């Protein structure tokens, strides 16, 4: 099961609003919101941009979220 709440938790833990995360990813706010609701739609480039803009603890949460896509429980 994809843990979509972890994507929001990683963003919030990094002190980012959805608008800021959308800007970092090069997405509209609506497109970013859609990605958080359906994390399987994130592109690797977008995830990489987010990870590069986060601190270590938020990156760990994001990493766990991405793993939940590819290695569901």
């Amino acid at each position: 099961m994809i843990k979509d709440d972890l994507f929001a938790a990683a963003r919030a833990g990094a002190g980012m609003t959805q608008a800021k995360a959308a800007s970092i990813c090069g997405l509209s706010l609506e497109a970013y919101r859609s990605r958080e609701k359906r994390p399987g739609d994130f592109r690797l480039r977008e995830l990489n941009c987010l990870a590069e803009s986060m601190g270590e603890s938020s990156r760990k949460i994001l990493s766990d979220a991405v793993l939940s896509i590819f290695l569901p429980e």
Side-chain angles (χ1 to χ4, degrees):
M1 169 190 283
I2 297 173
K3 297 181 179 176
D4 56 343
D5 55 328
L6 289 179
F7 287 89
R11 174 186 50 76
M16 282 185 224
T17 62
Q18 284 185 329
K20 177 68 176 172
S23 176
I24 288 167
C25 292
L27 298 169
S28 69
L29 179 56
E30 187 60 36
Y32 182 82
R33 285 182 177 153
S34 175
R35 299 277 201 288
E36 272 196 9
K37 289 178 186 172
R38 297 178 44 113
D41 292 346
F42 271 112
R43 292 184 170 81
L44 291 177
R45 179 192 60 78
E46 296 161 357
L47 293 169
N48 189 51
C49 289
L50 282 176
E52 288 178 352
S53 65
M54 293 177 169
E56 186 177 334
S57 61
S58 293
R59 263 195 311 272
K60 171 66 172 119
I61 297 169
L62 184 63
S63 174
D64 290 345
V66 170
L67 285 174
S68 78
I69 294 173
F70 297 103
L71 302 172
E73 295 177 349

